[in-house]
């Protein structure tokens, strides 16, 4: 099951779907189990947040960071960590260490 998950994550199609999902909302996105078509594994959840680019186009999303885990993930702990890490990465890209 883990191997299947990693194989899916390595495909360009899945990576594009994750980035598209991250762009659809401002901030953290949460996908739980079979609620999402991103993964065929109903026991997984994804917490993902985009980070923005550098320079004047700070609204341009250049990547996303997230956590993939079981559907019974500790969301209260993971969501703030993903959000904070995405914000720090965005500031680092803007040179605002």
């Amino acid at each position: 099951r883990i191997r299947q998950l990693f194989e899916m994550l390595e495909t360009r199609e899945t990576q594009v779907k994750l980035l598209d999902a991250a762009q659809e909302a401002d901030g953290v996105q949460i996908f739980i189990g079979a609620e999402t078509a991103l993964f065929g594994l109903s026991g997984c959840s994804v917490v993902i947040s985009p980070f923005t680019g550098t320079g004047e186009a700070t609204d341009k999303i250049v990547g996303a960071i997230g956590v993939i885990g079981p559907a019974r993930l500790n969301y209260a702990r993971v969501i703030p960590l993903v959000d904070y890490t995405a914000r720090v990465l965005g500031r680092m890209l803007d040179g605002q260490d």
Side-chain angles (χ1 to χ4, degrees), residues 64-77:
I65 187 160
V67 171
I68 298 171
R72 293 182 177 230
L73 193 64
N74 185 347
Y75 296 100
R77 190 168 198 166

Side-chain angles (χ1 to χ4, degrees), residues 15-29 31 38 47-51 61 63-65:
Q15 293 171 7
V16 168
K17 284 181 182 180
L18 281 170
L19 284 174
D20 286 345
Q23 289 181 11
E24 289 180 9
D26 188 26
V28 177
Q29 288 273 72
F31 302 99
L38 290 175
V47 178
I48 189 169
S49 183
F51 53 92
I61 294 174
I65 187 160

Side-chain angles (χ1 to χ4, degrees), residues 73-88:
L73 193 64
N74 185 347
Y75 296 100
R77 190 168 198 166
V78 171
I79 292 168
L81 287 172
V82 169
D83 185 44
Y84 175 77
T85 305
R87 291 175 194 270
V88 168

